Amino acid sequence: MAVELYFFQPLGTNSGRVYLTLLEKGVDFVRHELDGRAFDHFQPDYLAINPKGQVPSLVHDGRAITEGAPTMDYIDDAFEGPPLKPSDPKARWRMRCWAEYIDQDFGPAGMMLNWSNVVRPFMGERSRDEVEALLKRVPTDERRRAWKRAYERVVPEAELAESRRRNEVGAARMEAALATSPWLAGDDYSLADINMFNFFSWMPRFQPDLVNAEKTPHAMAWLDRMEARPAVQQMRAETTGRRTPPQTGAETT
Ligand SMILES: N[C@@H](CCC(=O)N[C@@H](CS)C(=O)NCC(=O)O)C(=O)O
């Protein structure tokens, strides 16, 4: 039955982790790439699928499946292909701890830094009236506040500093984990690696002081192992040429 994915771009953070899970499982899916800059994700048709107006959303047999980490779990359960959850309960627990950490801490910190860099540049050309009209289409107060703050560049330095601190802690945490096992949950490649990949793979480029060959050699070797995976190569190939990644790393959102 039909499988459809709505996303911003394959290498996006939240979009990418679900996109990569589908590729790893070998699921044939219809790709609906939304343009965040055109506010496609706030169009009524898309809000009917995901009332929060966020990506990604999977539609399977007519049912909308949302929220990245639970969607990855769903894909692993619902489709054939290599299992992406370890069979050992302790490794499975470790995998779920990574998911929790990415959703609650590391992921939002990275996204916040990206937002502060990118929203104003692409909203900046629009008049205040245009922006006010766009903001009216944002379905939740929380997201409306986030867009407005980014547009107006009123994110306090203390919040940005806290996000940078969390990224630094995350880099150290990755290095410590990967010094003891080849994959994040242990000996087996799992959803934990897929989940982290798109959040972390930008760091050597955009935060080279935190992630580099001297400071985090195990994390760098993990990135190489990830890049060697056919599914990751496919994801990159499907991204190349679609949009030019800006200097700021904007396309990581
Ligand atoms: N909890 C959601 C978070 C999704 C999310 O934050 N998506 C971002 C893109 S990475 C988004 O849709 N941003 C647009 C917006 O909030 O307006 C998930 O896990 O899927």
Side-chain angles (χ1 to χ4, degrees):
M1 288 295 261
V3 183
E4 299 172 70
L5 183 68
Y6 294 79
F7 59 99
F8 277 169
Q9 58 127 340
L11 278 173
T13 48
N14 287 291
S15 295
R17 56 185 178 167
V18 171
Y19 198 101
L20 184 55
T21 308
L22 289 166
L23 294 182
E24 288 284 11
K25 290 297 273 191
V27 178
D28 188 18
F29 63 103
V30 179
R31 290 145 172 83
H32 298 287
E33 185 166 351
L34 303 186
D35 185 354
R37 293 166 192 237
F39 274 39
D40 283 354
H41 54 307
F42 298 137
Q43 291 289 358
D45 284 0
Y46 184 66
L47 291 177
I49 293 169
N50 186 328
K52 282 182 166 176
Q54 290 195 312
V55 292
S57 296
L58 185 80
V59 178
H60 183 205
D61 294 342
R63 173 76 165 92
I65 311 284
T66 60
E67 300 301 332
T71 304
M72 295 168 70
D73 243 314
Y74 174 85
I75 293 167
D76 192 43
D77 292 340
F79 300 101
E80 294 187 355
L84 296 171
K85 294 199 278 274
S87 50
D88 171 53
K90 290 191 183 66
R92 208 174 262 226
W93 164 79
R94 215 170 145 188
M95 177 194 82
R96 294 203 163 107
C97 287
W98 278 106
E100 173 98 358
Y101 171 62
I102 291 165
D103 274 348
Q104 304 300 328
D105 187 317
F106 186 75
M111 284 195 290
M112 201 254 199
L113 292 173
N114 283 329
W115 265 64
S116 69
N117 285 334
V118 304
V119 173
R120 176 69 201 216
F122 84 78
M123 297 282 278
E125 302 302 315
R126 302 171 200 241
S127 69
R128 177 158 288 273
D129 282 354
E130 259 182 295
V131 171
E132 290 294 339
L134 283 174
L135 291 176
K136 286 205 178 90
R137 289 165 51 193
V138 181
T140 63
D141 288 345
E142 190 267 314
R143 296 316 300 152
R144 194 173 311 108
R145 261 198 309 277
W147 278 94
K148 196 158 194 269
R149 277 176 15 138
Y151 174 68
E152 293 173 344
R153 278 202 193 278
V154 292
V155 182
E157 183 50 42
E159 283 185 36
L160 293 171
E162 172 60 10
S163 292
R164 283 190 212 104
R165 187 194 68 78
R166 288 182 182 204
N167 266 201
E168 187 167 0
V169 170
R173 198 165 163 167
M174 284 286 284
E175 182 60 17
L178 293 162
T180 61
S181 63
W183 302 109
L184 288 175
D187 290 335
D188 299 318
Y189 178 69
S190 77
L191 292 178
D193 303 286
I194 297 173
N195 200 336
M196 189 49 123
F197 180 64
N198 282 353
F199 288 96
F200 195 77
S201 61
W202 301 86
M203 289 192 72
R205 187 164 155 211
F206 294 111
Q207 291 176 301
D209 52 322
L210 299 182
V211 180
N212 59 59
E214 287 76 41
K215 205 166 181 175
T216 58
H218 296 94
M220 293 299 283
W222 172 82
L223 280 173
D224 287 345
R225 285 194 292 282
M226 291 296 297
E227 294 289 353
R229 297 189 69 82
V232 171
Q233 288 174 9
Q234 186 180 345
M235 178 170 67
R236 287 212 179 279
E238 294 188 9
T239 305
T240 307
R242 294 164 100 99
R243 295 204 197 125
T244 312
Q247 298 304 308
T248 52
E251 300 294 327
T252 60
T253 54

